């Protein structure tokens, strides 16, 4: 499946030249640090105005307890009394991916750190601790306990397809940024319905679903709409996309995600792949339009100043380094 760049911060084959930490990432964006935050930085500090609350359009906002930078790790002593919160939507959902809450039924034995019939409960970072019968976030305190808006205690797995092309002028020539003199990439971007933020068109991995299937499914659901194509044209395009998603692509990252939905007991982990159309032969020619799961979908210039959901800016930065493009 292309060249493997990184997984949970551990070197696994060829990787981009940018140095990376081998430590499990510390929480920043998903908690209230109680400090003035620098929005120009991606992973080095939280963005105070965006990620200090847990909520969606359908659910109330829950204020997280303040967790100073030096008190995030569980090993640090801290007088810590976070709010417990699991959304009503998660508690009452009948979808199969929502597991039963062991705090409500103490007779349930859940096989933590294993792949069971409900979901894959293994973490990319190895075994996590079980404290009082529920998982403990391996990256530390988040200011809130429970499942929040996530379906499972422990890791909740997602997949993010990053589809890119070179930005070109009307004559088809590659365009370069005036400051960095590097080629400019464009990526398929969506506007999320729940947070109204720019994002990569990813989603949750369904039970027993392969990551490659999730990548393809989410791309279809969020950015492909074929109002101008006949059935023959649709079928041809779908076959091309299927072939590319199953046989091409470069793994950019797999591991913990600094996500606003994370709690002390539930957290997001993802696998991100880059599908790049170097010569505008297939994916670059798609006129993307919002599907069922997005408000809008479009090609967007890849740039460090884009306000993006969760850790998506970090993934795009890796893609820019991979292609030696402007960031």
């Amino acid at each position: 499946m292309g060249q493997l760049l990184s997984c949970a911060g551990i070197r696994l084959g060829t990787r981009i030249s940018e140095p990376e930490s081998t430590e499990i990432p510390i929480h920043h964006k998903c908690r209230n640090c109680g400090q003035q935050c620098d929005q120009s930085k991606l992973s080095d500090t939280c963005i105070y105005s965006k990620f200090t609350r847990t909520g969606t359009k359908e659910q109330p906002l829950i204020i997280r307890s303040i967790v100073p930078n030096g008190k995030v790790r569980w090993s640090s002593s801290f007088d810590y009394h976070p709010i417990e919160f699991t959304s009503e939507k998660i508690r009452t959902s009948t979808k199969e991916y929502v597991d039963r809450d062991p705090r409500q039924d103490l007779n349930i034995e859940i096989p933590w750190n294993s792949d069971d019939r409900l979901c894959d409960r293994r973490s990319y970072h190895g075994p996590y601790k079980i404290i009082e019968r529920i998982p403990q976030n391996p990256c530390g305190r988040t200011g809130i306990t429970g499942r929040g808006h996530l379906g499972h205690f422990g890791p909740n797995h997602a997949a993010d397809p990053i589809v890119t092309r070179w930005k070109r002028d009307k004559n088809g020539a590659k365009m370069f940024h005036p400051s960095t003199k590097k080629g400019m990439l464009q990526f398929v971007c969506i506007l999320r319905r729940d947070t109204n933020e720019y994002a990569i068109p990813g989603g949750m991995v369904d039970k027993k679903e392969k990551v490659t299937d999730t990548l393809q499914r989410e791309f279809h659901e969020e950015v492909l709409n074929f109002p101008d194509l006949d059935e023959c044209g649709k079928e041809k395009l779908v076959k091309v996309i299927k072939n590319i998603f199953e046989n091409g692509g470069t793994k950019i990252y797999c591991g913990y995600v600094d996500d606003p939905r994370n709690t002390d007991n539930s957290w997001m982990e993802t696998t991100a792949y880059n599908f790049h159309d170097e010569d505008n032969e297939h994916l670059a020619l798609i006129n993307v339009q919002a599907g069922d799961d997005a408000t809008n979908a479009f090609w967007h210039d890849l740039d460090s100043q884009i306000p993006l959901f969760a850790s998506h800016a970090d993934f795009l930065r890796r893609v820019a380094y991979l292609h030696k493009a402007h960031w």
Side-chain angles (χ1 to χ4, degrees):
M1 192 63 166
Q3 124 192 80
L4 185 62
L5 294 186
S6 65
C7 184
I10 302 172
R11 180 165 183 157
L12 295 173
T14 306
R15 65 191 300 174
I16 50 182
S17 58
E18 184 191 25
E20 299 181 43
S21 172
T22 56
E23 259 186 73
I24 295 178
I26 197 170
H27 279 302
H28 290 294
K29 294 179 181 175
C30 59
R31 63 186 179 82
N32 184 346
C33 71
Q35 300 181 7
Q36 186 65 34
C37 295
D38 182 357
Q39 295 195 31
S40 67
K41 296 182 180 180
L42 298 176
S43 296
D44 297 328
T45 184
C46 75
I47 300 177
Y48 185 86
S49 62
K50 292 175 65 177
F51 296 122
T52 59
R53 295 168 174 80
T54 296
T56 68
K57 291 180 180 179
E58 298 84 19
Q59 298 291 335
L61 292 174
I62 303 298
I63 308 299
R64 294 173 182 267
S65 300
I66 293 176
V67 182
N69 285 336
K71 301 297 183 180
V72 175
R73 301 294 186 192
W74 295 110
S75 57
S76 61
S77 177
F78 185 42
D79 185 19
Y80 183 52
H81 304 285
I83 296 171
E84 180 174 353
F85 171 66
T86 298
S87 75
E88 190 64 23
K89 187 175 181 179
I90 291 297
R91 289 183 185 276
T92 59
S93 176
T94 58
K95 289 184 179 180
E96 291 182 345
Y97 70 78
V98 179
D99 64 39
R100 293 167 292 181
D101 188 340
R103 288 193 174 186
Q104 295 179 10
D105 187 345
L106 297 179
N107 293 320
I108 294 174
E109 291 295 333
I110 294 180
W112 305 116
N113 289 297
S114 301
D115 185 0
D116 71 2
R117 63 182 181 82
L118 288 175
C119 67
D120 188 347
R121 302 178 188 280
R122 295 171 297 179
S123 169
Y124 288 121
H125 298 282
Y128 45 83
K129 293 182 179 179
I130 305 302
I131 307 296
E132 297 181 359
R133 298 179 61 85
I134 54 177
Q136 183 183 76
N137 191 316
C139 289
R141 302 178 174 102
T142 67
I144 191 170
T145 64
R147 279 184 290 175
H149 295 283
L150 295 176
H152 298 292
F153 281 112
N156 289 255
H157 296 290
D160 295 301
I162 306 170
V163 176
T164 55
R165 69 183 184 186
W166 291 109
K167 185 175 183 179
R168 298 178 185 274
D169 62 23
K170 60 182 180 180
N171 297 317
K174 187 187 297 185
M175 298 180 68
F176 296 85
H177 194 272
S179 298
T180 62
K181 310 302 181 185
K182 293 182 178 180
M184 298 175 65
L185 287 173
Q186 293 183 316
F187 73 104
V188 173
C189 180
I190 65 165
L191 187 64
R192 289 178 63 103
R193 288 188 183 278
D194 55 353
T195 64
N196 205 38
E197 293 176 285
Y198 290 158
I200 298 163
M204 306 304 296
V205 178
D206 287 343
K207 182 178 69 174
K208 298 302 179 183
E209 184 179 45
K210 294 188 298 184
V211 169
T212 51
D213 292 337
T214 305
L215 291 165
Q216 189 176 163
R217 173 175 55 78
E218 289 296 333
F219 189 73
H220 276 257
E221 290 178 356
E222 297 194 348
V223 306
L224 291 186
N225 199 346
F226 310 108
D228 302 323
L229 289 180
D230 56 25
E231 289 304 316
C232 182
K234 291 180 185 179
E235 184 177 345
K236 182 178 179 181
L237 181 56
V238 168
K239 284 184 178 179
V240 170
I241 294 172
K242 178 179 175 64
N243 180 61
I244 292 170
F245 273 64
E246 290 183 351
N247 300 299
T250 301
K251 183 178 284 188
I252 297 298
Y253 176 79
C254 64
Y256 187 93
V257 182
D258 199 8
D259 190 283
R261 293 165 290 186
N262 291 345
T263 75
D264 289 1
N265 311 118
S266 300
W267 60 92
M268 289 291 298
E269 297 189 9
T270 197
T271 303
Y273 273 91
N274 175 218
F275 301 93
H276 179 64
D277 188 350
E278 177 70 20
D279 299 312
N280 283 31
E281 295 177 328
H282 33 73
L283 292 176
L285 304 178
I286 296 175
N287 182 20
V288 297
Q289 300 185 49
D292 295 335
D293 293 349
T295 300
N296 197 6
F298 42 88
W299 288 97
H300 197 295
D301 291 356
L302 197 153
D303 187 272
S304 62
Q305 301 306 308
I306 308 169
L308 286 156
F309 176 78
S311 295
H312 291 191
D314 293 330
F315 302 155
L316 293 178
R317 173 178 53 83
R318 290 167 181 257
V319 171
Y321 272 86
L322 172 65
H323 297 289
K324 297 180 173 58
H326 165 73
W327 174 246

